[in-house]
Amino acid sequence: MITCFIRYEIDPFNLPAFEQYARTWGEAIPRCGADLIGYFAPHEGSVTTAYGVYSIADFAAYEAYRARLKADPLGRENFAFAKAERFIRREDRLFLRRVDTQ
């Protein structure tokens, strides 16, 4: 199992748009095959950093999941929403594996 941590740099003046984006992924990501842990928006401290976190079996499953997500109507709509609203300034992905339970 691998876990993907997505770090977003967001526009702090458009937090409601990011929250809508996150809620939409809350439906689309599990439907497309990943185990969504959650989306996290700023509360204290940095107002420009947010996270999305999900787990998936391996990189082969990740590639299949990404293809399903890009083909999913809700996924396509959410990608277009983010592009049009421009509330994401930067997005970085980090893949980690859990070691404390092995």
Side-chain angles (χ1 to χ4, degrees):
M1 182 72 69
I2 56 174
T3 301
C4 179
F5 291 81
I6 307 170
R7 181 187 176 277
Y8 296 95
E9 181 183 325
I10 62 172
D11 176 352
F13 300 105
N14 207 351
L15 182 58
F18 178 79
E19 290 173 348
Q20 178 182 338
Y21 173 81
R23 283 189 297 273
T24 301
W25 286 138
E27 182 180 336
I29 288 173
R31 181 174 62 225
C32 290
D35 178 21
L36 181 64
I37 296 166
Y39 268 77
F40 303 87
H43 180 70
E44 287 287 328
S46 172
V47 295
T48 60
T49 304
Y51 292 92
V53 184
Y54 63 87
S55 292
I56 197 148
D58 53 34
F59 281 113
Y62 171 75
E63 292 300 326
Y65 152 77
R66 291 288 293 173
R68 286 190 299 273
L69 196 62
K70 288 179 181 179
D72 183 84
L74 193 57
R76 284 195 314 266
E77 182 180 303
N78 215 26
F79 285 125
F81 172 67
K83 185 176 180 179
E85 296 297 319
R86 303 180 61 87
F87 52 87
I88 298 173
R89 294 179 174 166
R90 182 179 171 149
E91 181 177 325
D92 297 308
R93 280 182 171 70
L94 175 64
F95 295 89
L96 301 174
R97 60 185 173 81
R98 190 167 179 178
V99 296
D100 63 325
T101 58
Q102 293 180 346

